[in-house]
């Protein structure tokens, strides 16, 4: 391994006011690169710390001249909401640019200098914070946080090289992260070349940084090679795939981009929204039937997986439709809530009903019982004997109207004991003459402070109870009892039931499960002890991407608006084709 030898016996190179000593000739190529890393004169590009950027695709020589001015901004990087529940409701507006409070500690007390320091000045600062372990690592982390000048970071590395005779792998990676954040492509290339020479293998974080840095450059194909290296030991992340896809799209390698997209779907990775946006941005004004088919396939993927686009992706979808050559699409933004009874106020089109027909319900019921309830996964937290006991229990009772996840409901508030909370909710529902089944655990019968025996006994007078073992999983019991009771039966829990999607064998069954869940799951949205109990209303329409051929309706999340997990968006994009496409 090559080292920075800092010794008066090895020959001095002067880098401005920083002094480094270079090693034997066999490492000259490597250290010529490192010399440039320390000696390059250009400054850091100011970057908004709240924004993620994608590097441009100019040539390296062009970028060295124009790095300070140019760059291609990344799009929406918010995460999808593939399993969100299910009722349209009021959302909370976030505070714009809300920051976490600055914690007073030795680590956070270190703020990077505004200008480069000499080795002596860095040593003085290091002595001042001698109680902080790994001072240089902490300082580089703070430089990333505060988006410090690259030159300040270089001066820190000079101090490290002078004191230790080497710049460690971890420090190079942190420096790389700062270079990528500021779109300093020349620096990214140099660090990449250094790392390739010094280290045979990298850890995933470094691979991810290099893929991100290279994918937006004229060396984007090298990011694909790094992706292949990751595949040898693990599944690449969705961000790794997303960066490579954007690199391919930026260079008009559309078929390659779709190969990567379908590869990540095959690995059950959910693409980031900005990755999907890149496809729609690339397709604007392009007349290509295969590309059009792929983009419509992305919309169907959003539908099948209950993914809601963000506002930025929605705008890209709208612009793509309106730009399709030979077609006359027009997009409108609207709001749809329960008060509209599932009818779009723009085009008067009725949205799909949330209710399954009898055939769909029977298909889903058979699949759930076979693949989720009778599948091998269910026995990880329960036993075949306990599940059989529960099935006999359900079959020997009349159908229920509501099945309640007792522990989940009991923990909705910390203002009362869990037993009292459950009694309040069950009493509220029992007033409506509904047949209720509460699923509990055996520890609820022990008479603890949270589960007082008289309160539990009072609750048992208002509903049937089944107490499972304390280590058992509630969901199989919840699903079985609800499905066995019939299509009218609802279930009450805040659990998103994510795990059971993975047990379902195909897209159709997963879609039916999502639809059934949205139409049958009750959520306790407000609980004021002794005053008010409120359930989130179940909509009559399905909140998914949907089409009739000449219309598309796409629910989306507004920017700066957040939803509870049990809510669905109220904002929709309505797309209408005004006339048949011309030949």
């Amino acid at each position: 391994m090559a080292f920075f030898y800092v010794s008066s016996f090895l020959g001095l190179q002067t880098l401005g006011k920083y002094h480094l000593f270079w090693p034997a000739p066999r490492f000259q190529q490597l250290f010529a690169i490192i010399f440039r890393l320390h000696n390059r004169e250009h400054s850091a590009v100011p970057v908004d710390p709240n924004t993620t950027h994608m590097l441009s695709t100019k040539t390296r020589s062009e970028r060295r001249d124009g790095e300070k001015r140019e760059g291609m901004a990344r799009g929406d990087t918010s995460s999808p909401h593939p399993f969100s529940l299910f009722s349209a409701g009021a959302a909370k507006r976030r505070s714009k640019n809300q920051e976490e409070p600055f914690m007073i500690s030795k680590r956070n007390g270190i703020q990077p200098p505004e200008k480069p320091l000499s080795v002596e000045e860095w040593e003085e600062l290091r002595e001042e914070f001698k109680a902080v372990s790994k001072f240089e690592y902490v300082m580089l982390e703070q430089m990333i946080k505060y988006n410090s000048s690259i030159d300040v970071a270089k001066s820190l590395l000079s101090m490290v090289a002078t004191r230790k005779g080497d710049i460690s792998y971890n420090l190079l990676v942190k420096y790389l992260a700062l270079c990528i954040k500021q779109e300093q492509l020349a620096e990214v290339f140099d660090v990449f070349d250094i790392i390739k020479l010094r280290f045979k293998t990298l850890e995933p974080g470094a691979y991810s940084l290099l893929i991100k840095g290279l994918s937006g450059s004229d060396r984007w194909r090298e990011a694909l090679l790094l992706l292949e290296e990751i595949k040898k030991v693990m599944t690449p992340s969705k961000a790794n795939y997303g960066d490579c896809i954007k690199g391919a799209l930026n260079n008009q390698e559309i078929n390659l981009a779709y190969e990567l997209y379908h590869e990540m779907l095959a690995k059950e990775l959910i693409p980031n929204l900005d990755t999907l946006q890149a496809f729609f941005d690339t397709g604007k004004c392009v007349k290509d039937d295969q590309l059009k088919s792929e983009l419509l396939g992305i919309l169907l993927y959003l539908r099948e997986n209950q993914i809601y686009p963000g506002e930025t992706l929605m705008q890209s979808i709208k612009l793509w439709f309106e730009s399709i050559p030979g077609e006359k699409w027009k997009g409108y933004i609207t709001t749809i809530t329960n008060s509209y009874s599932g009818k779009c106020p723009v085009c008067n089109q009725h949205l799909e009903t949330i209710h399954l027909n009898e055939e769909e319900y029977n298909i889903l019921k058979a699949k759930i019982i076979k693949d989720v309830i009778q599948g091998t996964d269910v026995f990880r937290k329960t036993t075949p004997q306990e599940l059989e006991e529960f099935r006999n229990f359900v079959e020997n009772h009349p159908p229920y109207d509501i099945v309640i996840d007792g522990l989940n409901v009991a923990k909705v508030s910390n203002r009362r004991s869990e037993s009292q909370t459950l009694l309040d909710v069950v009493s509220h529902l029992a007033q409506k003459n509904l047949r209720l089944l509460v699923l509990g655990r055996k520890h609820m019968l022990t008479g603890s402070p949270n589960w007082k025996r008289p309160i539990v006994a009072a609750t048992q007078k208002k509903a049937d109870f089944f107490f499972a073992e304390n280590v058992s999983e509630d969901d199989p019991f919840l699903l079985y009892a609800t499905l066995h009771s019939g299509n009218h039966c609802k279930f009450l829990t805040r659990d998103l039931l994510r795990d059971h999607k993975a047990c379902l064998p195909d897209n159709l069954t997963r879609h039916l499960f999502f639809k059934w869940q949205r139409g049958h799951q009750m959520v306790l949205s407000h609980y004021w002890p002794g005053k008010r109990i409120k359930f989130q209303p179940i909509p009559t329409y399905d909140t998914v991407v949907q089409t009739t051929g000449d219309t598309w309706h796409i629910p989306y999340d507004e920017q700066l608006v957040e939803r509870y997990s049990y809510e669905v968006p109220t904002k929709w994009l309505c797309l209408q084709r005004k006339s048949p496409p011309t030949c």
Side-chain angles (χ1 to χ4, degrees), residues 463-476:
D464 290 339
F465 270 74
F466 182 86
F467 296 97
E469 295 294 335
N470 293 329
V471 296
S472 294
E473 176 66 55
D474 290 323
D475 294 351

PDB file of all heavy atoms in Angstrom, residues 463-476:
ATOM      1  N   ALA A 463     -67.917  -8.297  24.013  1.00  0.00           N
ATOM      2  CA  ALA A 463     -67.341  -8.870  22.794  1.00  0.00           C
ATOM      3  C   ALA A 463     -66.787 -10.255  23.092  1.00  0.00           C
ATOM      4  O   ALA A 463     -66.475 -10.572  24.245  1.00  0.00           O
ATOM      5  CB  ALA A 463     -66.227  -7.971  22.265  1.00  0.00           C
ATOM      6  N   ASP A 464     -66.673 -11.075  22.065  1.00  0.00           N
ATOM      7  CA  ASP A 464     -65.969 -12.344  22.197  1.00  0.00           C
ATOM      8  C   ASP A 464     -64.471 -12.077  22.211  1.00  0.00           C
ATOM      9  O   ASP A 464     -63.980 -11.151  21.550  1.00  0.00           O
ATOM     10  CB  ASP A 464     -66.315 -13.275  21.038  1.00  0.00           C
ATOM     11  CG  ASP A 464     -67.745 -13.781  21.100  1.00  0.00           C
ATOM     12  OD1 ASP A 464     -68.334 -13.760  22.203  1.00  0.00           O
ATOM     13  OD2 ASP A 464     -68.277 -14.176  20.041  1.00  0.00           O
ATOM     14  N   PHE A 465     -63.731 -12.907  22.932  1.00  0.00           N
ATOM     15  CA  PHE A 465     -62.271 -12.778  23.026  1.00  0.00           C
ATOM     16  C   PHE A 465     -61.622 -14.103  22.654  1.00  0.00           C
ATOM     17  O   PHE A 465     -62.133 -15.174  22.981  1.00  0.00           O
ATOM     18  CB  PHE A 465     -61.851 -12.405  24.450  1.00  0.00           C
ATOM     19  CG  PHE A 465     -61.778 -10.932  24.719  1.00  0.00           C
ATOM     20  CD1 PHE A 465     -62.936 -10.184  24.851  1.00  0.00           C
ATOM     21  CD2 PHE A 465     -60.548 -10.290  24.842  1.00  0.00           C
ATOM     22  CE1 PHE A 465     -62.887  -8.839  25.110  1.00  0.00           C
ATOM     23  CE2 PHE A 465     -60.491  -8.935  25.102  1.00  0.00           C
ATOM     24  CZ  PHE A 465     -61.648  -8.192  25.226  1.00  0.00           C
ATOM     25  N   PHE A 466     -60.471 -14.005  21.998  1.00  0.00           N
ATOM     26  CA  PHE A 466     -59.585 -15.141  21.838  1.00  0.00           C
ATOM     27  C   PHE A 466     -58.200 -14.698  22.277  1.00  0.00           C
ATOM     28  O   PHE A 466     -57.643 -13.740  21.730  1.00  0.00           O
ATOM     29  CB  PHE A 466     -59.529 -15.634  20.385  1.00  0.00           C
ATOM     30  CG  PHE A 466     -58.661 -16.847  20.206  1.00  0.00           C
ATOM     31  CD1 PHE A 466     -59.171 -18.118  20.395  1.00  0.00           C
ATOM     32  CD2 PHE A 466     -57.313 -16.715  19.870  1.00  0.00           C
ATOM     33  CE1 PHE A 466     -58.374 -19.239  20.241  1.00  0.00           C
ATOM     34  CE2 PHE A 466     -56.504 -17.833  19.722  1.00  0.00           C
ATOM     35  CZ  PHE A 466     -57.037 -19.091  19.917  1.00  0.00           C
ATOM     36  N   PHE A 467     -57.647 -15.390  23.276  1.00  0.00           N
ATOM     37  CA  PHE A 467     -56.339 -15.023  23.832  1.00  0.00           C
ATOM     38  C   PHE A 467     -55.275 -15.972  23.291  1.00  0.00           C
ATOM     39  O   PHE A 467     -55.267 -17.162  23.620  1.00  0.00           O
ATOM     40  CB  PHE A 467     -56.367 -15.070  25.365  1.00  0.00           C
ATOM     41  CG  PHE A 467     -57.306 -14.066  25.975  1.00  0.00           C
ATOM     42  CD1 PHE A 467     -58.594 -14.433  26.360  1.00  0.00           C
ATOM     43  CD2 PHE A 467     -56.901 -12.755  26.159  1.00  0.00           C
ATOM     44  CE1 PHE A 467     -59.457 -13.509  26.926  1.00  0.00           C
ATOM     45  CE2 PHE A 467     -57.757 -11.826  26.725  1.00  0.00           C
ATOM     46  CZ  PHE A 467     -59.047 -12.193  27.099  1.00  0.00           C
ATOM     47  N   ALA A 468     -54.388 -15.457  22.485  1.00  0.00           N
ATOM     48  CA  ALA A 468     -53.301 -16.249  21.917  1.00  0.00           C
ATOM     49  C   ALA A 468     -52.106 -16.248  22.858  1.00  0.00           C
ATOM     50  O   ALA A 468     -52.058 -15.478  23.842  1.00  0.00           O
ATOM     51  CB  ALA A 468     -52.900 -15.690  20.555  1.00  0.00           C
ATOM     52  N   GLU A 469     -51.141 -17.097  22.578  1.00  0.00           N
ATOM     53  CA  GLU A 469     -49.911 -17.098  23.355  1.00  0.00           C
ATOM     54  C   GLU A 469     -49.209 -15.736  23.210  1.00  0.00           C
ATOM     55  O   GLU A 469     -49.356 -15.041  22.208  1.00  0.00           O
ATOM     56  CB  GLU A 469     -48.977 -18.206  22.877  1.00  0.00           C
ATOM     57  CG  GLU A 469     -49.507 -19.610  23.099  1.00  0.00           C
ATOM     58  CD  GLU A 469     -49.633 -19.975  24.579  1.00  0.00           C
ATOM     59  OE1 GLU A 469     -48.898 -19.367  25.388  1.00  0.00           O
ATOM     60  OE2 GLU A 469     -50.446 -20.848  24.902  1.00  0.00           O
ATOM     61  N   ASN A 470     -48.435 -15.373  24.224  1.00  0.00           N
ATOM     62  CA  ASN A 470     -47.819 -14.041  24.240  1.00  0.00           C
ATOM     63  C   ASN A 470     -46.846 -13.815  23.086  1.00  0.00           C
ATOM     64  O   ASN A 470     -46.604 -12.683  22.680  1.00  0.00           O
ATOM     65  CB  ASN A 470     -47.104 -13.818  25.571  1.00  0.00           C
ATOM     66  CG  ASN A 470     -48.075 -13.750  26.730  1.00  0.00           C
ATOM     67  OD1 ASN A 470     -49.212 -13.314  26.569  1.00  0.00           O
ATOM     68  ND2 ASN A 470     -47.639 -14.200  27.894  1.00  0.00           N
ATOM     69  N   VAL A 471     -46.257 -14.906  22.547  1.00  0.00           N
ATOM     70  CA  VAL A 471     -45.283 -14.757  21.466  1.00  0.00           C
ATOM     71  C   VAL A 471     -45.926 -14.909  20.087  1.00  0.00           C
ATOM     72  O   VAL A 471     -45.247 -14.779  19.075  1.00  0.00           O
ATOM     73  CB  VAL A 471     -44.150 -15.790  21.616  1.00  0.00           C
ATOM     74  CG1 VAL A 471     -43.379 -15.547  22.896  1.00  0.00           C
ATOM     75  CG2 VAL A 471     -44.697 -17.221  21.560  1.00  0.00           C
ATOM     76  N   SER A 472     -47.217 -15.161  20.033  1.00  0.00           N
ATOM     77  CA  SER A 472     -47.875 -15.442  18.764  1.00  0.00           C
ATOM     78  C   SER A 472     -48.063 -14.161  17.947  1.00  0.00           C
ATOM     79  O   SER A 472     -48.146 -13.056  18.487  1.00  0.00           O
ATOM     80  CB  SER A 472     -49.230 -16.112  18.989  1.00  0.00           C
ATOM     81  OG  SER A 472     -49.056 -17.395  19.568  1.00  0.00           O
ATOM     82  N   GLU A 473     -48.180 -14.354  16.645  1.00  0.00           N
ATOM     83  CA  GLU A 473     -48.414 -13.262  15.711  1.00  0.00           C
ATOM     84  C   GLU A 473     -49.911 -13.053  15.555  1.00  0.00           C
ATOM     85  O   GLU A 473     -50.666 -14.002  15.332  1.00  0.00           O
ATOM     86  CB  GLU A 473     -47.776 -13.615  14.358  1.00  0.00           C
ATOM     87  CG  GLU A 473     -48.028 -12.617  13.262  1.00  0.00           C
ATOM     88  CD  GLU A 473     -47.374 -11.283  13.549  1.00  0.00           C
ATOM     89  OE1 GLU A 473     -46.160 -11.256  13.788  1.00  0.00           O
ATOM     90  OE2 GLU A 473     -48.104 -10.274  13.536  1.00  0.00           O
ATOM     91  N   ASP A 474     -50.367 -11.778  15.669  1.00  0.00           N
ATOM     92  CA  ASP A 474     -51.798 -11.486  15.597  1.00  0.00           C
ATOM     93  C   ASP A 474     -52.364 -11.586  14.189  1.00  0.00           C
ATOM     94  O   ASP A 474     -53.512 -12.009  14.001  1.00  0.00           O
ATOM     95  CB  ASP A 474     -52.069 -10.059  16.106  1.00  0.00           C
ATOM     96  CG  ASP A 474     -51.854  -9.917  17.595  1.00  0.00           C
ATOM     97  OD1 ASP A 474     -52.177 -10.861  18.341  1.00  0.00           O
ATOM     98  OD2 ASP A 474     -51.373  -8.857  18.002  1.00  0.00           O
ATOM     99  N   ASP A 475     -51.593 -11.192  13.197  1.00  0.00           N
ATOM    100  CA  ASP A 475     -52.149 -10.966  11.866  1.00  0.00           C
ATOM    101  C   ASP A 475     -52.838 -12.182  11.260  1.00  0.00           C
ATOM    102  O   ASP A 475     -53.911 -12.032  10.646  1.00  0.00           O
ATOM    103  CB  ASP A 475     -51.056 -10.458  10.918  1.00  0.00           C
ATOM    104  CG  ASP A 475     -50.544  -9.084  11.321  1.00  0.00           C
ATOM    105  OD1 ASP A 475     -51.155  -8.473  12.221  1.00  0.00           O
ATOM    106  OD2 ASP A 475     -49.536  -8.632  10.749  1.00  0.00           O
ATOM    107  N   PRO A 476     -52.284 -13.400  11.334  1.00  0.00           N
ATOM    108  CA  PRO A 476     -52.991 -14.544  10.740  1.00  0.00           C
ATOM    109  C   PRO A 476     -54.377 -14.744  11.342  1.00  0.00           C
ATOM    110  O   PRO A 476     -55.327 -15.066  10.617  1.00  0.00           O
ATOM    111  CB  PRO A 476     -52.071 -15.731  11.042  1.00  0.00           C
ATOM    112  CG  PRO A 476     -50.719 -15.130  11.223  1.00  0.00           C
ATOM    113  CD  PRO A 476     -50.953 -13.799  11.858  1.00  0.00           C
TER     114      PRO A 476
END
